[in-house]
Amino acid sequence: MRTIWKGALTFGLVNVPVKVYSATEDHDVPLHQVHAADGGRIRYQRICELDGEVVPYADIDKAYDDGERTVVLTADDIASLPAERSREIEVVEFVPSDQIDLLTLDKAYYLEPDSTSPKAYVLLRRTLEQTDRTAIVRFSLRQKTRLAALRVRGDVLVLQTLLWADEVREPAFPALDEPVKISAKELELSASLVESFSSDFDPDEFVDEYQQELRTLIDAKLEKGDALDTAETFGEEQPTDAGGEVIDLMAALKASVERSRAARAGGATDEKPAKKASDHSSTAKKSAKSKAKKSA
């Protein structure tokens, strides 16, 4: 990983030097645009509207237009802002962890101690763990003031930027304003269905099927070119019930619970209903493990 920022966590008079790393990365297959007629690469250029010349990125400034006047802001102008010059991640308050709305969570960053002794870093980490608190912090990164949640993940402090309050839309759905009557039996069946799907979440059991299929398609086209038979590569697409509004909710709940119970009782698959193996080999491995456990 590459350091993207260096600074210091500060709370009270305590100063914790840290290095900041992006905690996530995109695994999507990289694609670019081409001309459909001849396959030529499509490239975008930054062209000045006044002289029609291509402008190097280094010669581009930013501007604000209020409709009547335009103010040009140079890189030096932006760098002169006090918030942009600051290298502090300031702890504003410590809040109960369950008060952080998951909807507001944004980009995640790892923090690494950047000093000869990690004592202050470890002290802060242990304090957050012991008090079950999350630190709300403020800092500036890439020309933006950020609000973030500082929390613990394993042995590492994680900085998770938060959306500002005015960036979260208020849901306004008239249908939810209408009174709805739910019977005790419907709640019981629904809870039973939830229980039949209950499990401990393991993110490693889930895969990005679209990206896997896209890679399969690319490999097949590299091998067979435009003569590719998608049915041969992926199998015939089975018609699926697109569904619609459930008229008899009770019947649907009963059928769902019965199907889930039958699948488990019959041992039709080792996979949980909502999970899919990444490929045939992973299914075989899980089956082998299951048999080994039973024989043991």
Side-chain angles (χ1 to χ4, degrees), residues 5-291:
W5 194 84
K6 286 186 179 182
L9 267 170
T10 62
F11 61 107
L13 298 178
V14 179
N15 184 288
V16 186
V18 292
K19 296 178 182 178
V20 180
Y21 302 83
S22 179
T24 60
E25 61 185 1
D26 190 350
H27 70 188
D28 288 359
V29 177
L31 302 174
H32 58 255
Q33 294 181 325
V34 296
H35 187 192
D38 56 21
R41 180 75 176 265
I42 303 297
R43 298 184 184 276
Y44 293 89
Q45 296 179 317
R46 301 175 181 88
I47 299 176
C48 176
E49 291 184 353
L50 297 180
D51 58 23
E53 297 292 327
V54 176
V55 182
Y57 189 78
D59 294 340
I60 296 177
D61 286 328
K62 296 183 178 180
Y64 172 78
D65 189 341
D66 66 1
E68 297 180 1
R69 297 167 298 175
T70 299
V71 177
V72 176
L73 300 171
T74 67
D76 290 339
D77 290 334
I78 293 174
S80 70
L81 296 174
E84 180 67 13
R85 295 199 309 270
S86 174
R87 287 286 158 176
E88 283 192 353
I89 302 172
E90 176 195 5
V91 175
V92 180
E93 57 188 5
F94 293 92
V95 302
S97 298
D98 59 5
Q99 289 185 2
I100 305 297
D101 186 350
L102 297 180
L103 186 64
T104 64
L105 294 176
D106 200 13
K107 181 73 174 174
Y109 300 91
Y110 290 135
L111 300 186
E112 177 190 21
D114 187 23
S115 62
T116 54
S117 172
K119 185 173 183 177
Y121 181 99
V122 174
L123 174 62
L124 177 56
R125 186 192 72 204
R126 289 186 180 177
T127 302
L128 290 174
E129 289 176 321
Q130 181 177 324
T131 59
D132 192 23
R133 294 266 167 167
T134 294
I136 301 300
V137 304
R138 257 192 318 235
F139 67 107
S140 293
L141 177 66
R142 293 172 177 163
Q143 300 175 3
K144 282 188 178 182
T145 300
R146 316 272 179 161
L147 189 68
L150 181 69
R151 57 187 181 84
V152 179
R153 186 176 191 268
D155 292 333
V156 180
L157 290 175
V158 173
L159 197 65
Q160 191 120 24
T161 55
L162 302 172
L163 298 174
W164 297 96
D166 62 356
E167 292 181 311
V168 179
R169 294 173 174 172
E170 286 294 329
F173 306 125
L176 295 179
D177 296 332
E178 299 296 326
V180 177
K181 184 177 180 180
I182 302 295
S183 70
K185 187 61 177 178
E186 287 171 333
L187 271 177
E188 180 185 339
L189 283 170
S190 182
S192 180
L193 181 58
V194 168
E195 181 61 30
S196 71
F197 278 83
S198 295
S199 178
D200 292 323
F201 179 56
D202 180 1
D204 290 333
E205 292 187 15
F206 297 86
V207 297
D208 187 340
E209 294 176 353
Y210 177 82
Q211 292 299 319
Q212 286 189 338
E213 292 169 358
L214 182 57
R215 290 182 184 276
T216 299
L217 177 62
I218 290 172
D219 291 340
K221 293 207 70 160
L222 286 172
E223 180 181 348
K224 300 182 179 180
D226 291 332
L228 169 70
D229 182 349
T230 55
E232 179 184 336
T233 303
F234 296 104
E236 293 289 348
E237 183 178 354
Q238 298 298 321
T240 57
D241 182 6
E245 185 174 357
V246 178
I247 303 302
D248 192 337
L249 182 59
M250 184 73 77
L253 285 169
K254 286 181 179 178
S256 298
V257 172
E258 290 171 1
R259 184 173 62 179
S260 179
R261 285 175 178 171
R264 290 202 169 195
T269 174
D270 290 337
E271 295 295 323
K272 298 178 179 62
K275 301 178 182 180
K276 294 183 180 180
S278 58
D279 52 33
H280 294 297
S281 62
S282 63
T283 303
K285 288 179 182 177
K286 290 183 179 180
S287 178
K289 287 182 180 178
S290 177
K291 290 178 180 178

